[in-house]
Amino acid sequence: MDAPTTTSADNGISGEDGGWFTPHKPVSPSNPEPAATTPTAPTPTATATAPRPPAPRPAPSPDAQLIQRTMAEIGPIADKVTSYFYALLFVRHPHLRSMFPASMDTQRDRLLKALLTAAEHIDNKQVLVTYLQHLGRGHRKYGTHAEHYPAVGEALLGALSHYATDSWNAETEAAWVRAYTTISQVMIDAAAEDERKSPPWWYAEVVAHDQRTPDIAVVTVRPDQPYPFLAGQYTSLETPWWPRIWRHYSFASAPRTDGLLSFHVKAVPAGWVSNALVHRARPGDTLRLGPPAGTMTVDHTTENGMLCLGGGTGIAPIKALIEDVAEHGERRPVEVFYGARSDHDLYDIDTMLRLQQSHPWLAVRPVVDRLDRHHVQLPDAVRDYGPWNEYDAYLSGPPGMIRNGIDALLGAGIPSERIRHDEFEELVAAAH
């Protein structure tokens, strides 16, 4: 049992026999110029759309207020809450321990953080349901079934009641019960629907390993059976060297006729999966793939331009989006800002420039954050170009880049509903 993260994520048991947290049965569904290191910005046009004032936030529901009060209390002691949560789960339900990685250091707060984040934003149904459906489908690869959810709910309630002593009472407990019941039911229903059409995982053989830099590799695999996905989506990968440890990577191309899948992987410090894929994986090795997920896909019903911000290996799904537009025969303008901390990090710039040469509607603008001269960052460069009022925006990269990029895009007049990315916490912030 795990929860998605972007890269690169303990007494008081109530309802011992399932009780409040016993889920219902699954519900049936009713769905070419050389690039400059930094762009030379033209004078912004005077016709740019003025930023719209943010809409007033609706008042949180009573349950949300109670949940947020609990979150504020446990925030400073999150590590203790996490440890107690897992202690309760494994002591009372030891058979669940085998579903987690052998070393919990790589797992830590991922499951609990996902549940707490979902509960805290229980009012944000539009974003939350999409996130939970993905979470439910993804949990199939761990062997998670509907009967496991009550145990997790009981451990959650026990950990919170043990540490949130100032804010915890019968009313608060009831709010958390309702929130978790909603969360678990959405996940269960999504898993049941997915089971009717997809396996819980796919085996995939590594067929190519292209070492682009000392710490970045392009890994290409061949799934053992058809793997349907959309350009801009991502999946989870497990290597044979670290069983039950999964990490998320975006597809680096649109679906191909040969069925091959490619991923851009950067080895990060202490990154078990990323280092294995970059430094250890070779052709002939077998990986496991989880189901595809993500909503950062092209809307082919509109003729709006596309403004794409890709940072580091976040350029991989941007490249896939460009291929998708080209395959549909569209000629909408696509503006790509390729952000990097150094020239070395522009590892895929040649590919992007070849795409620009092939498609006159595509413009690629590398933006290197140089400290030895005028400090230009990706959001600054985006603000200098425009206007963007006729564009949909797509962001992929580190969480900090996504946060700053959202601020820049909102400031440039792009409404939040036309800004696409797949970091849940950032989606919540943008929706607000």
Side-chain angles (χ1 to χ4, degrees):
M1 302 176 78
D2 200 354
T5 57
T6 299
T7 50
S8 16
D10 300 45
N11 206 327
I13 296 293
S14 297
E16 183 65 25
D17 60 353
W20 293 330
F21 292 121
T22 301
H24 300 91
K25 293 181 180 179
V27 176
S28 298
S30 343
N31 120 56
E33 295 175 337
T37 308
T38 55
T40 303
T43 303
T45 174
T47 60
T49 302
R52 300 189 302 180
R57 296 186 184 184
S61 67
D63 277 4
Q65 294 181 48
L66 293 168
I67 288 170
Q68 289 165 9
R69 195 175 304 157
T70 305
M71 294 291 292
E73 184 175 357
I74 67 171
I77 52 172
D79 285 346
K80 292 182 178 180
V81 178
T82 300
S83 297
Y84 197 76
F85 167 80
Y86 284 114
L88 287 176
L89 185 63
F90 296 153
V91 167
R92 294 182 177 272
H93 305 278
H95 63 286
L96 297 181
R97 182 62 181 87
S98 63
M99 299 173 65
F100 291 79
S103 173
M104 289 297 290
D105 290 342
T106 62
Q107 166 80 18
R108 271 313 277 165
D109 63 348
R110 302 184 101 204
L111 171 60
L112 182 59
K113 182 179 179 181
L115 296 175
L116 294 177
T117 301
E120 187 177 19
H121 299 288
I122 196 66
D123 286 350
N124 194 350
K125 295 294 192 296
Q126 181 177 1
V127 172
L128 187 60
V129 168
T130 299
Y131 169 70
L132 292 174
Q133 288 174 337
H134 155 65
L135 207 58
R137 290 189 293 267
H139 271 60
R140 292 183 60 216
K141 65 180 177 285
Y142 302 105
T144 305
H145 300 292
E147 58 266 27
H148 295 140
Y149 284 85
V152 174
E154 291 159 10
L156 171 65
L157 193 67
L160 294 176
S161 63
H162 186 76
Y163 282 100
T165 54
D166 292 340
S167 61
W168 199 261
N169 55 36
E171 188 179 11
T172 301
E173 183 174 0
W176 276 96
V177 168
R178 286 189 290 268
Y180 183 78
T181 300
T182 298
I183 290 168
S184 59
Q185 195 63 58
V186 173
M187 294 175 64
I188 290 167
D189 292 344
E193 166 60 17
D194 194 58
E195 187 175 5
R196 286 190 273 270
K197 57 186 180 183
S198 299
W201 63 76
W202 288 254
Y203 289 105
E205 179 186 359
V206 177
V207 297
H209 187 281
D210 179 10
Q211 194 81 35
R212 295 290 183 88
T213 75
D215 59 353
I216 295 177
V218 176
V219 181
T220 302
V221 304
R222 178 184 291 111
D224 64 337
Q225 54 188 305
Y227 188 100
F229 73 98
L230 299 175
Q233 290 190 305
Y234 61 90
T235 188
S236 50
L237 292 179
E238 180 204 51
T239 71
W241 304 286
W242 302 110
R244 298 188 299 280
I245 298 177
W246 300 75
R247 292 295 180 264
H248 292 90
Y249 296 98
S250 296
F251 301 104
S253 70
R256 296 165 48 167
T257 56
D258 59 11
L260 298 181
L261 311 173
S262 292
F263 306 94
H264 293 189
V265 184
K266 180 173 183 178
V268 297
W272 291 11
V273 174
S274 65
N275 277 281
L277 289 172
V278 172
H279 300 303
R280 192 168 180 174
R282 292 295 180 268
D285 291 332
T286 299
L287 311 177
R288 281 205 300 171
L289 307 178
T295 59
M296 197 185 73
T297 56
V298 178
D299 180 1
H300 292 290
T301 67
T302 178
E303 296 181 355
N304 288 348
M306 293 172 55
L307 171 60
C308 302
L309 281 64
T313 53
I315 200 64
I318 301 300
K319 184 169 76 72
L321 295 176
I322 295 168
E323 293 178 359
D324 189 32
V325 171
E327 289 174 5
H328 278 76
E330 299 167 357
R331 298 184 62 84
R332 65 172 79 184
V334 178
E335 298 274 348
V336 175
F337 289 82
Y338 185 177
R341 294 191 178 278
S342 67
D343 292 330
H344 169 81
D345 293 325
L346 293 172
Y347 68 94
D348 209 33
I349 188 60
D350 290 344
T351 302
M352 299 302 295
L353 292 178
R354 284 195 295 271
L355 286 171
Q356 179 179 251
Q357 290 176 332
S358 301
H359 307 300
W361 40 264
L362 172 64
V364 177
R365 308 181 192 279
V367 182
V368 176
D369 182 4
R370 291 190 178 278
L371 299 179
D372 57 349
R373 57 178 180 163
H374 180 60
H375 193 63
V376 178
Q377 292 185 321
L378 191 57
D380 301 320
V382 173
R383 278 189 290 263
D384 288 338
Y385 283 80
W388 304 115
N389 51 301
E390 298 297 329
Y391 283 74
D392 296 332
Y394 298 77
L395 296 90
S396 178
M401 188 220 84
I402 293 178
R403 283 193 294 270
N404 294 334
I406 290 172
D407 290 340
L409 295 171
L410 292 173
I414 298 181
S416 59
E417 62 269 18
R418 298 215 321 260
I419 301 175
R420 299 178 180 228
H421 55 100
D422 282 313
E423 171 70 20
F424 172 66
E425 289 82 357
E426 306 309 329
L427 278 170
V428 171
H432 285 171

